[in-house]
């Protein structure tokens, strides 16, 4: 985008906010406010100029009719009050997913090269309507759209979110609801993590025990990773799986909303659920259970770990590859996209090192390090996928041991793996923990349920997916990852997803030059209101104080900050409850000695807005240098 366009864009948004605020997420490439507004009525017609636009027109009528009660019916034509037009001549700038939207007091026209562009145009149109358009029941009010001209197209072709359904099973109706939310934000990829240690979620008809055994575990509550192991003979009622008919239904539902589903079958590690069903595929052949969240591994500070229970397929056993051929034959038939994700992450090789078959294979391959067996395994898997017309996609560990040039890498351990992969000529999807892990705490760890890391919305919004020095042509795009060890319900999925998911939607769709955190905050707050109407859960952690400590000589120094503009932070250390008449934080302060308790609260415009944070001196001491 040229500098003149950036200036004009900012002026346009400012002008629009002076009239009717236009708070779109993700931000479009160009937005030019016009005078007046278009008002929906029972006489509003929805028309599409080509048959390919019919499905999108029908979706628009459904989106509008529930809250408005207007009963609008789409039809073929070129003169609708809301006109959906597929271009006769291809507009190179719009590409496959771009659109233009021209709303005047008389008419709304959305144009695109493809139905996908029309679909994203109607998502923008819905955001231009009042928040009550998100209502699940009819609302009596005026339905107006501010006059505006928008030209929009995505920066990246891969804009995704990963949903882990192994740790907790989500029904197909819940997955559909999640897909609806992704599509509204112009995400176009759902990475579906279907198998792991805690449950196998996809029916494989040739291997029925995968779901008869691998989809079910004992019922457990409490913090994941601290739960007791299954007892002999204990019932296993917790879990579930998708039949192949379920999968077909969800895939078709997603396709209609321009969302591609990429399935993940996580191998060779993270395979405990598969081994519970078929223990002969492991090195030890020992019977294991589908894990309910026990402490089955020990992690060390340098990133290495040890498994207490075997969860890895045996790379020296030909039966493993026959098993995987059956699995991938059926998976490939269910998912029409070109990729199958095969995991490859966190593969513990201790059992391989002790296995005579693995040692013999290493001698045969003339390799000295057991880690290199993963490269052998992944190359065997890639041959299986290639035979089925699929491309291999895996976490960045697949770079270890060597992979073919055609493999695509998902960089999750920071950006290092993505840089290495791109320099080697691999296509890359950027999804680093440091910006895109949506299971991390988004506020103070004393407020949110505890987990091992923290990621604030502002940090996610600040992400730049193309690393410096990397040819952008290798960066397909990126995604947010939502692991569900600590997320048992769809409501909590939403809580962890938003507003960080809104931030990442903008990172992957909008132009780099348009990024503006204070402006995003305004739009985010509008979407809080819209989410309330839509009954979508979200976190308000952006309003909480950020509490850091350091040492100033022998004194404990307190540093407070706010994530969003305009917050006033108040605190106490005298065992009183803070309010706007307590001490206002203005600069770092040395805390008094003694067994104090810090209490912090945020206000905006004279009203409390954030959570109360309470920290003992011991807790403050432990934070030194950590946040």
């Amino acid at each position: 985008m040229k500098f003149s366009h950036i200036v004009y864009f900012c002026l346009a948004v400012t002008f629009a906010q002076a009239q009717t605020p236009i708070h779109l997420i993700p931000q479009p490439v160009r937005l030019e406010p016009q005078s007046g507004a278009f008002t929906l009525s029972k006489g509003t017609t929805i028309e599409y100029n080509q048959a390919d636009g019919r499905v999108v027109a029908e979706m628009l009528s459904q989106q509008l009719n529930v809250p408005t009660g207007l009963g609008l019916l789409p039809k073929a034509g070129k003169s609708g009050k809301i006109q959906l037009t597929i271009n006769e001549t291809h507009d190179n700038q719009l590409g496959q997913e771009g659109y233009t939207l021209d709303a005047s007091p008389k008419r709304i026209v959305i144009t695109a090269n493809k139905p996908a562009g029309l679909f994203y145009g109607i998502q923008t149109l819905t955001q231009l309507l009042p928040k009550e358009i998100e209502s699940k029941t009819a609302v009596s009010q005026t339905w107006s759209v501010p006059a505006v001209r928008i030209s929009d197209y995505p920066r990246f072709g891969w804009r995704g979110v990963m949903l882990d359904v192994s740790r907790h099973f989500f029904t197909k109706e819940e997955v559909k609801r999640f897909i609806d939310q992704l599509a509204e934000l112009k995400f176009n990829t759902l990475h579906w993590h279907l198998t792991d240690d805690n449950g196998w979620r996809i029916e494989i008809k040739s291997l029925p025990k995968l779901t008869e055994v691998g989809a079910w575990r004992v019922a457990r509550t409490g913090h994941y990773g601290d739960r007791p192991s299954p007892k002999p003979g204990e019932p296993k009622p917790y879990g579930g799986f998708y039949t192949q008919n379920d999968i077909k239904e969800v895939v078709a539902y997603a396709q209609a909303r321009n969302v591609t589903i990429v399935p993940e079958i996580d191998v060779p590690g993270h395979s405990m659920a598969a081994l519970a069903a078929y223990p002969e595929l492991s090195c030890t052949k020992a019977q294991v259970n589908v894990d309910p969240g026990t402490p089955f591994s020990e992690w060390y500070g340098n990133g290495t770990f040890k498994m207490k229970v075997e969860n890895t397929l045996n790379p020296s056993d030909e039966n493993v590859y026959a098993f995987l051929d059956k699995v991938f034959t059926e998976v490939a038939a269910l998912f029409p996209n070109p990729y199958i994700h095969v995991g490859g992450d966190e593969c513990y090789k201790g059992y391989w090192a002790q296995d005579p078959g693995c040692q013999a294979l290493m001698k045969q391959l003339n390799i000295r390090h057991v880690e290199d067996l993963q490269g052998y395994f992944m190359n065997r898997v890639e041959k299986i996928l290639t035979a089925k017309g699929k491309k291999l996609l895996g976490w960045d560990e697949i770079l270890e041991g060597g992979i073919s040039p055609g493999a695509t890498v998902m960089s999750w351990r920071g950006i290092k793996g993505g840089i290495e992969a791109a320099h080697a000529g691999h296509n890359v999807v950027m999804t680093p923990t440091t910006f895109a892990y949506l299971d991390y705490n988004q506020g103070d760890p004393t407020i949110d349920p505890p987990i091992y890391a923290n990621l604030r919305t502002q940090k996610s919004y600040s992400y730049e997916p193309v690393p410096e020095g990397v040819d952008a042509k290798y960066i397909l795009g990126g995604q947010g990852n939502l692991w569900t060890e600590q997320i048992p319900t769809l409501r909590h999925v939403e809580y962890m997803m938003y507003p960080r998911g809104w931030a990442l939607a903008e990172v992957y769709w909008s132009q780099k030059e348009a990024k503006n955190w204070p402006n995003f905050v305004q739009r985010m707050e509008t979407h809080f209101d819209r989410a309330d109407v839509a009954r979508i859960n979200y976190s308000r952690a952006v309003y909480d104080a950020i509490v850091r400590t350091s040492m100033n000589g022998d004194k404990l120094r307190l540093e407070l900050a706010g994530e969003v503009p305009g917050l006033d932070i108040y605190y106490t250390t005298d065992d009183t409850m803070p309010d706007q008449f307590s001490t206002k934080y203005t600069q770092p302060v040395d805390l008094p000695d003694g067994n104090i308790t810090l209490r912090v609260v945020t206000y905006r415009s004279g009203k409390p807005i954030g959570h109360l944070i309470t920290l003992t001196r011991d807790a403050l001491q432990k934070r030194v240098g950590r946040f």
Side-chain angles (χ1 to χ4, degrees), residues 90-101:
H90 188 85
D91 184 328
N92 291 331
Q93 189 175 57
L94 295 183
Q96 302 296 306
E97 297 179 294
Y99 65 93
T100 63
L101 188 155

Side-chain angles (χ1 to χ4, degrees), residues 199-248:
W200 184 284
R201 303 299 180 208
I202 179 172
E203 178 189 27
I204 303 297
K205 292 183 178 180
S206 61
L207 297 162
K209 287 197 292 184
L210 283 173
T211 46
E212 290 171 1
V213 176
W216 306 96
R217 63 181 190 249
V218 298
R220 290 288 184 271
T221 57
H223 191 75
Y224 184 92
D226 296 327
R227 298 170 184 168
S229 298
K231 301 173 184 176
E234 185 178 0
K236 298 175 180 177
Y238 192 86
F241 65 93
Y242 309 103
T243 68
Q244 293 198 2
N245 283 338
D246 291 338
I247 296 287
K248 292 174 184 176

